[in-house]
Amino acid sequence: MLKHTNLVIKILIALILGCNFHKNKISSTSYLPHHTSITSLLKKLKLDGHLSFHNIHHASKDFGNRYSFLPAAVLYPKSVSDISNLISYIFQMGPTSPLTIAPRGHGHSLEGQAQAHQGVVINMVSLGKSQEMHFHVKENTNTPFVDVPAGELWINILHESLKHGFAPKSWTDYLHLTVGGTLSNAGISGQAFRHGPQINNVYQLQVVTGTGEVVTCTEKKNSDLFYGVLGGLGQFGIITRAHISLEPAPKMVKWMKVLYMDFTTFTKDQEQLISSNSSFDYVEGFVLINQTGLLNNWRSFFKNKNPAQASRFVSEGKIVFCLEIAKYYKQEDMGTIDQKIEKLLSKLNYIESTLFISEVSYVEFLDRVHVSELKLQEKGLWDVPHPWLNLLVPKSKIHKFADEVFGKILTDTSNGPILIYPVDKSRWNTKTSMVTPKENVFYLVAFLSSAMPASTGTDSLEYILSQNKKILEVCESANLGTKQYLPHYNTQEEWKNHFGSQWGDFVRRKLTYDPSAILTPGQRIFQKQFTFLWQFTI
């Protein structure tokens, strides 16, 4: 009881002092060693891999292409002990050391989250290359899984899993991401309504905490850390290995797109699909505003049963809603799959002439975004600023949100796609650190804009950021109860509001597993001076 009371008091102190971090910073710069001294200290580390102090500018960039913080060094680990030794070393340097650590996969963060200004960035892909996957998929295995290094890419896991006839259950729309990166956030896409996000499909983790301790954790063993790091934004430990749940893999996919002009009908059909146990395997949606030649663009890849009627469909100057659905199947289902799909489609109320169907392999479907990436890279349009905004909107407020945003704040979607689709949280494990709206059913609404660096028009970074600000202001003023996915905030007060009732647990876990606030400073949740809270012993 006494220990519990002391812990509660420590948390309260953390909460009180946390509000003053930005006002009353404890300056330690006068006690810090010179940069060259830090370099000398780091060089003393015994590693299986190596530390690089040169050619490290790539570690100061990310997909968002808006923030750039140069580290002091980049670690290329060949073992988990490399990561553990580095963190232990910096932790033992004490609170006067400025060094922080950020794990970096393929650098697909948006706001500099995987950067560490004058700290050490850990190249997690290096760890992935030095370790192997191990499959546990024998016939007598009730829960097949793959044991993978956290620096491994999901696309590689897909290819290797298929050799065994299996595949992970839950995906992101883009597969060239690392396991550790997506598990530190959530990992959501069109399969989440059925299987939950990727963080709900993990059996075991190996984690290196902010003190350098290597911990194996599951739902029953070290469960507090297990749930904490899943969706924990890298604040409590660096995931180094994971056991990912598998299921028998399909061979082929029937991939479909249909259109709606009415938002109520569109959302009603989406919600009906995700509530059924015998529905499609993938459900997503898009908002298309003032798009020219929409259906003509689809014809190069999708087939339409009524091309004459479809050719009369006009999307210019209108707000159109696209439902994207897919049904997976195996070779033995070839004779019945069309009838199953026809039955499922008969329950929907889309514009009949706008049904477009494509038949592709499972790999082609899951890796579909990579094809677009390669095209954009050829045109020099991939490495541009990406001021993305990802929101989770409660079902009860999605119509209010749509009324205020689509057609008012946003008058076209030429700068990038807008995703919109519902998920059902009642099927999720809600013990993780991921923050969601209070309602069980909510919509992911993702504004995936690309900005042109030299532009001063509607495709400029400034203009898109102003639109994002207006959208967030609408959410706040209308009290819509939204939450950010892949969140980014500038003050700890904003982070407290984001986590809400989960903030106390978040602070407690930080104090427990990363007491010196060494890990992932790019999230801007805690500062290194956070460690001084431990000086209060009650």
Side-chain angles (χ1 to χ4, degrees):
M1 184 67 180
L2 179 60
K3 289 183 178 179
H4 176 74
T5 303
N6 289 346
L7 181 58
V8 170
I9 294 173
K10 284 183 178 180
I11 292 172
L12 288 173
I13 291 173
L15 290 171
I16 294 169
L17 294 181
C19 298
N20 298 318
F21 281 169
H22 294 274
K23 295 178 182 178
N24 303 311
K25 294 181 182 178
I26 303 174
S27 176
S28 56
T29 52
S30 58
Y31 305 101
L32 300 179
H34 190 268
H35 180 267
T36 55
S37 301
I38 294 173
T39 303
S40 302
L41 290 170
L42 290 174
K43 284 182 177 179
K44 295 179 181 178
L45 278 170
K46 294 183 179 179
L47 302 168
D48 297 316
H50 70 280
L51 274 165
S52 177
F53 300 92
H54 307 286
N55 299 320
I56 58 176
H57 282 81
H58 68 279
S60 67
K61 300 177 181 179
D62 60 21
F63 178 71
N65 210 11
R66 293 179 53 214
Y67 293 85
S68 180
F69 298 103
L70 188 68
V74 174
L75 172 66
Y76 294 87
K78 285 189 176 180
S79 64
V80 175
S81 63
D82 281 353
I83 298 174
S84 174
N85 290 340
L86 172 68
I87 296 176
S88 295
Y89 189 79
I90 293 176
F91 175 68
Q92 290 169 16
M93 290 173 72
T96 59
S97 164
L99 288 176
T100 54
I101 295 172
R104 185 182 191 275
H106 259 202
H108 278 270
S109 54
L110 299 172
E111 308 278 352
Q113 289 96 331
Q115 300 174 27
H117 179 59
Q118 290 302 302
V120 181
V121 169
I122 300 176
N123 186 307
M124 297 302 293
V125 176
S126 175
L127 182 67
K129 290 179 179 178
S130 65
Q131 298 188 338
E132 296 181 351
M133 303 183 209
H134 302 291
F135 288 88
H136 301 262
V137 294
K138 293 182 180 179
E139 290 184 7
N140 58 353
T141 303
N142 294 325
T143 54
F145 68 91
V146 57
D147 176 7
V148 296
E152 190 59 85
L153 300 181
W154 285 101
I155 183 63
N156 296 337
I157 296 172
L158 172 62
H159 286 304
E160 291 301 313
S161 298
L162 290 176
K163 294 177 183 178
H164 299 268
F166 286 82
K169 298 176 181 177
S170 188
W171 299 96
T172 54
D173 288 329
Y174 181 68
L175 304 189
H176 296 252
L177 305 170
T178 59
V179 169
T182 64
L183 295 185
S184 294
N185 289 282
I188 299 177
S189 77
Q191 300 91 356
F193 76 95
R194 175 162 293 169
H195 298 293
Q198 290 180 321
I199 56 175
N200 285 177
N201 293 276
V202 182
Y203 295 138
Q204 179 176 298
L205 296 171
Q206 182 187 65
V207 178
V208 183
T209 71
T211 63
E213 183 181 5
V214 181
V215 182
T216 298
C217 50
T218 67
E219 290 183 347
K220 296 182 178 179
K221 179 182 179 182
N222 299 311
S223 60
D224 186 62
L225 181 60
F226 178 77
Y227 290 122
V229 295
L230 292 172
L233 307 177
Q235 292 304 298
F236 315 124
I238 296 175
I239 300 171
T240 49
R241 290 198 75 87
H243 289 186
I244 307 297
S245 174
L246 301 175
E247 65 178 358
K251 294 287 185 181
M252 299 295 291
V253 176
K254 291 280 188 177
W255 180 12
M256 290 149 279
K257 293 185 179 186
V258 295
L259 295 180
Y260 296 75
M261 297 297 291
D262 179 66
F263 186 68
T264 298
T265 307
F266 169 67
T267 54
K268 185 178 179 181
D269 276 2
Q270 281 192 316
E271 290 165 15
Q272 179 255 313
L273 287 175
I274 72 161
S275 66
S276 172
N277 291 322
S278 57
S279 178
F280 291 97
D281 298 297
Y282 162 95
V283 177
E284 287 196 8
F286 296 87
V287 181
L288 304 156
I289 306 175
N290 193 25
Q291 293 290 289
T292 303
L294 176 62
L295 300 189
N296 286 331
N297 295 334
W298 290 356
R299 285 194 177 95
S300 61
F301 198 76
F302 292 82
K303 293 181 179 180
N304 178 255
K305 290 185 177 180
N306 301 298
Q309 284 183 287
S311 64
R312 293 194 289 269
F313 182 85
V314 178
S315 56
E316 291 87 341
K318 297 180 179 180
I319 302 176
V320 182
F321 306 99
C322 172
L323 174 64
E324 185 176 49
I325 44 184
K327 190 68 177 173
Y328 308 154
Y329 64 99
K330 298 180 181 179
Q331 204 67 37
E332 55 266 31
D333 300 322
M334 283 286 292
T336 59
I337 187 64
D338 287 336
Q339 291 89 336
K340 288 180 180 178
I341 288 174
E342 189 173 338
K343 184 177 180 180
L344 290 171
L345 289 173
S346 68
K347 300 176 182 179
L348 303 178
N349 297 288
Y350 57 89
I351 300 171
E352 190 172 344
S353 64
T354 66
L355 172 60
F356 282 73
I357 302 178
S358 180
E359 188 172 22
V360 296
S361 71
Y362 188 52
V363 172
E364 284 178 301
F365 174 72
L366 291 179
D367 201 27
R368 62 197 179 280
V369 177
H370 187 53
V371 176
S372 300
E373 175 191 356
L374 294 176
K375 291 179 180 178
L376 290 171
Q377 284 181 345
E378 287 178 4
K379 298 177 181 178
L381 299 176
W382 185 254
D383 297 320
V384 298
H386 295 97
W388 287 7
L389 177 63
N390 297 270
L391 298 175
L392 305 177
V393 184
K395 170 187 169 182
S396 66
K397 302 296 178 65
I398 192 63
H399 291 274
K400 175 68 173 176
F401 179 89
D403 289 343
E404 294 295 328
V405 175
F406 305 139
K408 291 183 181 179
I409 297 175
L410 297 177
T411 55
D412 67 63
T413 48
S414 60
N415 294 330
I418 300 175
L419 272 62
I420 179 168
Y421 57 90
V423 293
D424 188 347
K425 188 174 62 175
S426 66
R427 306 184 186 190
W428 296 17
N429 188 326
T430 56
K431 295 180 181 179
T432 67
S433 290
M434 184 189 179
V435 176
T436 62
K438 294 180 180 179
E439 297 178 15
N440 278 336
V441 177
F442 53 85
Y443 280 74
L444 172 71
V445 187
F447 303 91
L448 309 182
S449 302
S450 297
M452 297 300 103
S455 174
T456 57
T458 57
D459 58 353
S460 69
L461 177 61
E462 290 75 17
Y463 185 84
I464 296 171
L465 288 175
S466 70
Q467 284 187 321
N468 289 350
K469 183 180 179 182
K470 290 176 183 177
I471 294 170
L472 291 172
E473 286 172 350
V474 163
C475 292
E476 185 174 353
S477 62
N479 195 27
L480 299 185
T482 60
K483 292 292 183 180
Q484 284 194 35
Y485 175 55
L486 308 177
H488 167 71
Y489 297 102
N490 293 312
T491 69
Q492 196 175 78
E493 191 64 31
E494 290 174 315
W495 280 109
K496 287 172 65 176
N497 292 334
H498 171 74
F499 282 103
S501 61
Q502 294 175 236
W503 177 246
D505 271 343
F506 203 81
V507 171
R508 175 186 59 77
R509 283 170 171 156
K510 188 68 172 179
L511 287 166
T512 303
Y513 303 113
D514 183 24
S516 292
I518 291 171
L519 301 176
T520 320
Q523 294 285 2
R524 305 174 186 87
I525 306 175
F526 303 105
Q527 294 185 5
K528 188 75 182 282
Q529 288 80 8
F530 189 83
T531 185
F532 285 93
L533 293 176
W534 278 123
Q535 294 177 1
F536 292 83
T537 55
I538 298 175

